[in-house]
Amino acid sequence: MNIAPEAQGKLKDLLYHFNVNVAMSHKVAKYLAPFSASDKEALRQEFELRLKENLLGAAEFRRFTACSARNEETARQFFKDVHAYAFEDGEETDVADYWNR
C-alpha cells in the first residue's frame, strides 16, 4: 500500500490529540471535519496499515500520550480504540485507561 506522506503527518497530528499535557481528544471530530473524503480515507488507511503491521505499540503510546502504557497489548488496544473513536463513531478514548499508574 502506497500512502501519501501527508497522511502520515495527519496521523501524527491526530494521535497527538491524546497527549495528556494538552488533552485535546475531545477535538478529534473537529480536527477531521475539514478533511475531504479522500484525505480522510487516506488517513484511515494509514492508521489501519500501522495497526495491521503492529507499528503502534508501547513506544508510540509514550510518544503520543506522554505516558507509559501498562504493556504492549494495552498500547495496541489504545490505538485500536482511537481508530474506532476517530473513524467508527466509537467512544472517546481515555488515556488513563491504558497507562501504567
Side-chain angles (χ1 to χ4, degrees):
M1 186 180 298
N2 189 10
I3 304 295
E6 298 85 34
Q8 294 175 26
K10 289 175 182 175
L11 178 58
K12 289 177 185 176
D13 291 344
L14 170 69
L15 294 174
Y16 279 126
H17 278 74
F18 294 87
N19 184 302
V20 297
N21 296 312
V22 294
M24 294 180 10
S25 61
H26 63 285
K27 294 185 178 184
V28 167
K30 186 175 182 177
Y31 171 72
L32 294 173
F35 288 18
S36 68
S38 61
D39 284 347
K40 192 171 182 179
E41 178 61 16
L43 176 57
R44 185 190 63 76
Q45 287 180 9
E46 175 68 16
F47 203 155
E48 289 177 1
L49 176 65
R50 289 177 183 261
L51 287 170
K52 180 181 176 184
E53 294 185 0
N54 291 319
L55 298 175
L56 297 170
E60 292 74 25
F61 182 89
R62 174 81 174 136
R63 176 179 174 200
F64 293 114
T65 68
C67 298
S68 296
R70 285 195 296 266
N71 54 45
E72 282 293 325
E73 183 178 329
T74 303
R76 284 192 295 275
Q77 187 61 51
F78 166 79
F79 290 110
K80 289 176 186 176
D81 292 346
V82 168
H83 180 277
Y85 173 54
F87 299 105
E88 301 168 5
D89 295 322
E91 292 185 30
E92 184 175 350
T93 310
D94 185 350
V95 175
D97 293 339
Y98 306 88
W99 69 24
N100 188 15
R101 297 175 200 207

